[in-house]
Amino acid sequence: MKVLLRRLFPCPPVDRWRLFEGVMKECLGELGHEILEMDLDPSFPPDPAEADFCIYAHKTRREVPHANLFYKEMHMRGLFTVDDQGWGADHSRLLTPPDLSVFSTSDAERFCRSMRAEFLANGRSKFDQPAMNDIPPQVKPYFFAPLQMPGDDVIMYHSPITVPQYVALLSQWAEQRGRHVVFKLHPGQMPAEVVEEIKKWTASSSNVFLMNENVHSLISGAHAVVVINSGVGFESLIHGRPVVTLGACDYQWVTFRGTVSDLDAAWEWGNAFSDHDRLQGFRFIHYYYHHHAYLTSEATRARVKPRVMEYLEEHVRN
């Protein structure tokens, strides 16, 4: 069978995507398939007529109905998913909550605490971060509200509010309740309307802050983390923090799934957050890393390849 692999282009950082694509190509070759490669560039040229099976980067069935599989780097560096519907909230295996009862609590807790220790030691996240610093005590307690890019698919298709609305409504609530909200800009180039909305609130309210601290510093110091559906929420589960999601995402099943109209209840969720809630988050993370996604690096390549092989053997068929 001729399998078309439509690679993301341009693709920063190219090395992580190409590494996972290399694992897929190895597996497809060993399964006896011929691989055709094309970059998924802005011109979006049509697929070759001779392709029998199409695998697309960074797309979903909503965008490419004829494609067969879709792959995407998710919330952490090198953490990829593959599915026949898409990724994130579109991924077919997380349209309903997974059964986490079958996963060892002790293994999950050990796994997450080890990752958290690494985060706090090196400050690394999916995107480059400033050095670790303590959050000033006068800012605490606070909702940490990381900002997302307004044009991202997760906002356009899986959010009930826009990013400027997220800023305005959280800020209004903070001012009315006398609570603190800390925003952090996305590392990408934020649109002027979002930056202006934040500056308006930080200038007029003593309860609204814009900080460019390391994301792990901000997560660790937060009363709770409030996201639309940012990957920072996923990282926050690794930290064992309460997470509030306002939009749809693949990790929503172990969060407080709220709206901007019930932020009081979300704050109370932070107050009432229990060891059971924390451990459920740990078990979800363990499930995600070891059964749902494929953590692909030079160090993990040999371990992850059998799982990728099993998946492709089952799904790449005429």
Side-chain angles (χ1 to χ4, degrees):
M1 181 191 300
K2 292 185 179 180
V3 178
L4 172 64
L5 184 64
R6 293 297 295 258
R7 312 188 315 171
L8 187 63
F9 180 85
C11 174
V14 70
D15 56 336
R16 301 200 301 258
W17 285 79
R18 297 302 179 248
L19 185 59
F20 182 69
E21 290 159 356
V23 173
M24 286 199 295
K25 287 191 292 183
E26 283 184 22
C27 293
L28 291 167
E30 291 175 23
L31 290 170
H33 302 299
E34 180 183 346
I35 301 113
L36 310 174
E37 290 187 79
M38 290 182 66
D39 286 337
L40 186 57
D41 61 34
S43 65
F44 215 132
D47 296 343
E50 65 267 27
D52 303 304
F53 193 97
C54 300
I55 304 176
Y56 267 68
H58 212 300
K59 298 293 180 183
T60 68
R61 190 160 300 286
R62 177 192 310 107
E63 300 156 289
V64 192
H66 72 273
N68 303 98
L69 291 179
F70 308 90
Y71 66 100
K72 168 82 162 64
E73 185 183 52
M74 294 304 295
H75 314 296
M76 307 298 290
R77 297 186 184 198
L79 191 62
F80 286 84
T81 62
V82 185
D83 187 51
D84 61 2
Q85 297 301 311
W87 49 272
D90 290 312
H91 197 294
S92 62
R93 287 175 60 186
L94 282 176
L95 297 177
T96 56
D99 179 9
L100 300 177
S101 65
V102 300
F103 302 109
S104 164
T105 300
S106 58
D107 288 349
E109 183 172 16
R110 185 163 49 250
F111 179 70
C112 289
R113 292 199 184 282
S114 174
M115 278 200 293
R116 181 176 187 268
E118 289 184 19
F119 291 159
L120 296 179
N122 59 34
R124 286 189 64 190
S125 184
K126 185 174 182 180
F127 298 99
D128 291 340
Q129 296 290 320
M132 296 284 294
N133 278 310
D134 291 334
I135 305 303
Q138 62 268 28
V139 177
K140 300 177 182 179
Y142 61 88
F143 269 156
F144 173 37
L147 294 177
Q148 298 175 240
M149 297 299 287
D152 281 355
D153 284 5
V154 292
I155 297 296
M156 293 191 296
Y157 300 117
H158 298 297
S159 174
I161 56 174
T162 66
V163 175
Q165 287 172 336
Y166 168 73
V167 173
L169 293 168
L170 272 170
S171 299
Q172 288 170 11
W173 172 85
E175 187 66 11
Q176 291 166 1
R177 294 293 188 265
R179 304 287 191 189
H180 288 179
V181 172
V182 175
F183 292 105
K184 176 180 169 67
L185 295 176
H186 189 280
Q189 185 64 45
M190 294 297 295
E193 62 173 333
V194 178
V195 177
E196 289 169 5
E197 187 68 29
I198 295 173
K199 287 182 176 179
K200 179 186 76 175
W201 282 102
T202 55
S204 63
S205 174
S206 60
N207 297 306
V208 181
F209 302 84
L210 176 62
M211 302 181 73
N212 187 34
E213 297 294 344
N214 186 286
V215 70
H216 297 299
S217 298
L218 290 164
I219 292 170
S220 295
H223 175 72
V225 179
V226 183
V227 300
I228 299 177
N229 42 24
S230 167
V232 175
F234 184 89
E235 286 180 278
S236 301
L237 294 173
I238 299 172
H239 279 262
R241 306 304 296 150
V243 178
V244 178
T245 48
L246 305 178
C249 53
D250 56 8
Y251 61 86
Q252 64 190 341
W253 309 112
V254 287
T255 71
F256 180 92
R257 298 168 68 194
T259 68
V260 288
S261 65
D262 55 10
L263 292 173
D264 288 339
W267 187 271
E268 289 305 314
W269 160 256
N271 287 334
F273 195 68
S274 66
D275 286 342
H276 173 76
D277 296 324
R278 182 174 294 105
L279 291 172
Q280 278 295 92
F282 288 164
R283 288 205 284 188
F284 179 86
I285 293 294
H286 193 268
Y287 154 77
Y288 200 101
Y289 267 84
H290 295 91
H291 299 274
H292 179 71
Y294 306 92
L295 180 62
T296 309
S297 66
E298 291 294 353
T300 65
R301 181 176 185 143
R303 294 199 305 273
V304 80
K305 182 179 172 181
R307 289 184 53 226
V308 176
M309 177 75 79
E310 182 181 14
Y311 185 90
L312 294 176
E313 185 173 21
E314 179 182 353
H315 288 84
V316 182
R317 296 174 178 173
N318 284 316

